[in-house]
Amino acid sequence: MNDQKIRRPRQADIATLAGVSVSTVSRVLANEPGISETVRRQILKVAAEHGYPVKPASEAVAGGLALIASDGVTGTLSVFYEAIVDGLRAGAAEAGMPFDVRLVREDRTTPDAVRDYMQTAGAEGLFLVGIDPNEMLRGWLQASMTPTVLVNGTDPRMQFDGVSPANFFGAYEATRRLTEAGHRRILHLSGSHRHTIRERVRGFEAAIAAVPGAEGRLVSLTLQGSASREAHERTAAALAENAGFTAAFCMNDFIAVGVLEAVTEAGLRVPEDFAIVGFDDLPCAQMTNPQLSTMRVDRAALGREAVSLMLSRFRNRTASARHICQAVVPIPGGTVPNIENP
């Protein structure tokens, strides 16, 4: 009897049997990301049944869903969150993590709604972007042991992983830039209940306390409409009510734009008579005259770090929570005197 040589199936054969393209088969057999799990499993099943040698696949990465506060994305902070989402997408693609994004009103983040979002997306991990979980959602996430990462968020109880700018240290440095320039009566315009923004208030207060004779005053904004318009109006009122204040640290650059407009309309020179420091280094900071002095937040890096935290959480779901702070870098401009523009 003659030995009959059995031909090993080719990728083209696997593609025909699985009803997909050869390139799709090639990507699956190379363990490349970007293929749906249903298609991946079908191709691997056909390959195994027909004796095609398949190298061991690395452990599949669970999917992630990012929920973003819709008022942040559709309002004045849209550019801030767009860059974070870019970082999330890039980090997820590099890790081979299936990833999806949904807008949601923060007051509608109930356990049932979030569960439905995750089931629809086929996600195991949850990124809360600009959303502080309410008590009901917090309880469900903990009870269900859902891997959760707060993105641009801080959990004061350290029960969830999170990544944020170094808000306290960034605010401290922003205020220090003003005190180093000789200012001793400084306004801080802020208007959010979020933990991240409270950290900026703490940083402002700490920097004021560190300088003998310095005085700081918080100007609260409601931020229900245009941040720059409200900042303009509140600054004009504050200047009239608080004679002698010569500088302002602003919660973000949109607010700083309104302050700059109000100060200029009051007939004050910037930075000679009044100095301003913003926060976030948004595109509008480069469009003012003079250009805003601000603090740069690497928003894309926040997204990438969030993916890294999620991957760690997938590997160990009972580990203690971690929080990563990204450094905030001073950006020179024309709204602070020569101390930063030698």
Side-chain angles (χ1 to χ4, degrees):
M1 180 183 294
N2 294 329
D3 293 335
Q4 185 177 13
K5 186 174 182 180
I6 300 175
R7 182 177 69 86
R8 192 185 86 170
R10 298 168 300 172
Q11 289 191 7
D13 300 322
I14 303 301
T16 299
L17 291 166
V20 298
S21 67
V22 176
S23 63
T24 299
V25 171
S26 176
R27 291 176 62 193
V28 168
L29 296 178
N31 296 325
E32 293 183 7
I35 305 295
S36 75
E37 281 305 304
T38 300
V39 172
R40 186 183 298 276
R41 293 192 191 100
Q42 173 65 10
I43 290 173
L44 293 176
K45 179 176 181 290
V46 171
E49 290 174 346
H50 292 81
Y52 190 93
V54 179
K55 64 181 180 180
S58 57
E59 186 178 352
V61 178
L65 171 67
L67 295 182
I68 307 180
S70 57
D71 54 346
V73 173
T74 58
T76 55
L77 288 177
S78 59
V79 66
F80 185 92
Y81 285 110
E82 285 170 6
I84 289 179
V85 171
D86 287 344
L88 284 166
R89 290 191 188 280
E94 291 170 4
M97 175 192 293
F99 178 76
D100 205 351
V101 181
R102 292 285 186 276
L103 294 180
V104 60
R105 276 180 48 179
E106 187 165 0
D107 61 358
R108 294 185 179 177
T109 52
T110 64
D112 287 344
V114 172
R115 183 189 300 109
D116 289 344
Y117 277 122
M118 296 186 70
Q119 288 177 348
T120 300
E124 291 187 35
L126 179 66
F127 299 95
L128 292 177
V129 186
I131 295 175
D132 298 322
N134 56 49
E135 285 304 314
M136 287 181 60
L137 180 58
R138 175 186 288 272
W140 176 75
L141 291 172
Q142 290 182 301
S144 61
M145 296 188 67
T146 300
T148 303
V149 177
L150 307 183
V151 189
N152 190 41
T154 301
D155 180 11
R157 294 159 63 181
M158 277 302 291
Q159 294 173 327
F160 298 113
D161 296 320
V163 58
S164 70
N167 289 295
F168 175 89
F169 300 102
Y172 188 100
E173 176 62 19
T175 308
R176 192 193 68 82
R177 292 167 73 180
L178 295 170
T179 59
E180 285 290 306
H183 296 276
R184 292 297 179 268
R185 302 192 71 199
I186 303 171
L187 301 173
H188 176 41
L189 283 80
S190 184
S192 173
H193 66 282
R194 299 201 64 224
H195 303 305
T196 51
I197 303 307
R198 291 176 188 170
E199 286 296 292
R200 294 184 191 181
V201 173
R202 284 206 317 118
F204 168 73
E205 292 172 343
I208 293 294
V211 178
E215 178 186 354
R217 182 163 299 176
L218 179 65
V219 177
S220 297
L221 307 178
T222 59
L223 298 183
Q224 293 179 344
S226 167
S228 61
R229 169 51 53 186
E230 185 183 353
H232 178 288
E233 295 171 353
R234 293 286 288 128
T235 301
L239 290 174
E241 298 168 1
N242 302 292
F245 281 84
T246 61
F249 161 50
C250 304
M251 182 185 85
N252 60 41
D253 292 333
F254 291 115
I255 291 174
V257 169
V259 171
L260 177 59
E261 292 173 348
V263 169
T264 302
E265 287 184 9
L268 300 175
R269 298 170 302 162
V270 177
E272 292 84 358
D273 302 323
F274 199 94
I276 305 164
V277 177
F279 207 99
D280 293 337
D281 191 29
L282 300 176
C284 64
Q286 301 176 22
M287 302 177 189
T288 60
N289 183 25
Q291 183 172 313
L292 279 176
S293 305
T294 186
M295 306 293 295
R296 174 171 294 164
V297 173
D298 189 338
R299 282 100 66 191
L302 294 179
R304 289 179 178 273
E305 288 286 9
V307 172
S308 177
L309 281 172
M310 184 64 77
L311 293 174
S312 296
R313 181 57 53 188
F314 282 156
R315 290 190 291 267
N316 186 351
R317 303 198 180 196
T318 61
S320 298
R322 291 191 298 151
H323 187 87
I324 295 176
C325 281
Q326 285 280 350
V328 179
V329 182
I331 300 299
T335 58
V336 172
N338 291 334
I339 187 74
E340 68 172 12
N341 296 304

